[in-house]
Amino acid sequence: MKVAIFAGDGIGTEVMAEAVRVLESLRLPGLTLFEGDVGAIAYQRHGHPLPAETLDMARAADAILFGAVGDPSCDNLDRHLRPEQAVLGLRSELGLFANLRPANVFPGLEDASALKPEVARAIDLLIVRELNGDVYFGDKGMRETPGGEREGWDMMSYSESEVRRIAHTAFRAAQGRKGRLCSVDKANVLETSQLWRDVVCEVAGEYPDVELSHMYVDNAAMQLVRNPGQFDVVVTGNLFGDILSDQASMCVGSIGLLASASLGERMTAHGTFGLYEPIHGSAPDIAGQGIANPMATILSAAMMLRHSFGREEDAARIEAAVAKAVADGVLGADLGGTASTKEIGDAVVERL
Ligand code: NAD
Ligand code: IPM
Ligand code: MN
């Protein structure tokens, strides 16, 4: 169980320290952690946000635990040198096309949700976000129009095979849950989405036990706050999935709670090779204060044990320890409490 630890920038290092402590406290035989530089810190040290040695380390690992990247000082660099390219590069270089972002309300946290408690209580959904395509990875650029003004452009596209493989991931996920899949697109306007919808419908023929529905993304954003309990599995493209998952995080209470797994086709001895990360970023506004919520990263480590190492029991233990800490009122500022990053890490380790 070789795990590459890429903490990154800002609160990435703070939340990672707690996730590592939680992992080490399990004393799993055969677990080896090694660290690499990604993001702004890697750019400063090596001149690139995803140095060759980091990529080699990622390839040599069975799983990657990732913190967050991004720093305001890098926001005007050439795009290929920006910290965000580290996570985008890992996702594409390693073929991690399926991003699983579960969202459910911890008992006792209903009042922390931005929604009414009775609406929040019903949330138990999984966003399956495509991660290797869409407007993220198409050609892009800035150019001058014939009229002499600047114009920015980004190419949005999905190929049939890209949609088909993420659709299979989502249908299988629905089979393992409540058997409902909602595909979110913008087929009323975008050809990319029309192809998406057509292919999802074709794949549906292989999963007669899954109830498939379709929703336009604007309506999905609205339904997510009106009645999030209606969703089981949501499958959507890279851009819509990015936005809807941040929104889902506030429906359950905080972005500091949402974990994710990014999976591809490569297998490990006991599961699937993957990259695990909180859905949040480096949070420059609170970095260095020791108040970031590490739960999303700790829960990402649990997902790693489940998906890459086949250690369901250990994953469930971590999740139960986090739930217990929440129930006991160990909450950070993001959830209206006063616990520091380290105190939250301590509380989870104690409950393990
Ligand atoms: P962000 O997720 O970093 O922060 C958004 C807001 O949520 C901030 O107010 C922040 O303080 C709060 N927040 C985030 N995580 C928190 C936590 N664990 N505990 C408590 N509060 C938390 O998004 P942003 O501000 O739009 O982006 C900041 C930087 O992070 C940018 O450079 C962006 O590109 C990058 N980013 C990186 C990743 C990643 O590494 N996967 C993801 C998102 C954003
Ligand atoms: C995320 C982030 C990334 C994304 C950025 C940092 C490239 O927002 O993981 O959700 O847009 O995918
Ligand atoms: Mn995001």
Side-chain angles (χ1 to χ4, degrees), residues 187-335:
N188 51 351
V189 177
L190 304 174
E191 283 299 287
T192 311
S193 280
Q194 188 58 54
L195 189 270
W196 175 281
R197 191 176 283 219
D198 293 347
V199 174
V200 169
C201 286
E202 287 160 24
V203 174
E206 297 177 46
Y207 300 89
D209 50 334
V210 175
E211 184 192 315
L212 173 67
S213 62
H214 302 273
M215 201 179 272
Y216 296 131
V217 64
D218 47 353
N219 184 23
M222 186 274 280
Q223 296 293 339
L224 201 50
V225 296
R226 188 188 76 91
N227 175 18
Q230 72 186 282
F231 296 109
D232 179 18
V233 180
V234 172
V235 64
T236 190
N238 206 343
L239 182 64
F240 300 156
D242 179 44
I243 298 167
L244 292 178
S245 54
D246 266 35
Q247 187 179 334
S249 76
M250 270 321 287
C251 297
V252 310
S254 165
I255 194 162
L257 291 173
L258 254 59
S260 83
S262 303
L263 310 172
E265 267 147 21
R266 193 179 129 196
M267 301 304 286
T268 58
H270 300 283
T272 308
F273 173 78
L275 182 150
Y276 302 85
E277 58 172 332
I279 78 156
H280 63 72
S282 56
D285 57 335
I286 58 163
Q289 298 178 31
I291 57 167
N293 186 348
M295 285 174 170
T297 313
I298 294 170
L299 293 168
S300 298
M303 291 186 88
M304 174 180 81
L305 295 180
R306 170 174 299 122
H307 292 285
S308 288
F309 300 136
R311 301 194 73 102
E312 173 59 36
E313 266 179 41
D314 293 309
R317 274 180 69 201
I318 293 178
E319 287 161 355
V322 170
K324 183 81 170 57
V326 165
D328 292 343
V330 185
L331 305 176
D334 56 321
L335 290 167

Side-chain angles (χ1 to χ4, degrees), residues 151-190:
E151 181 179 65
W153 58 279
D154 302 83
M155 163 82 170
M156 174 184 270
S157 71
Y158 263 122
S159 70
E160 211 176 322
S161 56
E162 285 175 319
V163 181
R164 192 166 290 119
R165 65 182 181 177
I166 194 70
H168 279 291
T169 304
F171 276 105
R172 283 195 296 265
Q175 284 179 322
R177 292 174 50 104
K178 290 179 217 136
R180 283 185 287 117
L181 176 62
C182 179
S183 174
V184 170
D185 63 35
K186 188 71 185 171
N188 51 351
V189 177
L190 304 174

Side-chain angles (χ1 to χ4, degrees), residues 84 87-88 91 101 129 136 242 279:
E84 291 80 357
V87 72
L88 295 174
R91 291 169 182 172
R101 298 188 159 188
R129 170 191 177 196
Y136 271 62
D242 179 44
I279 78 156

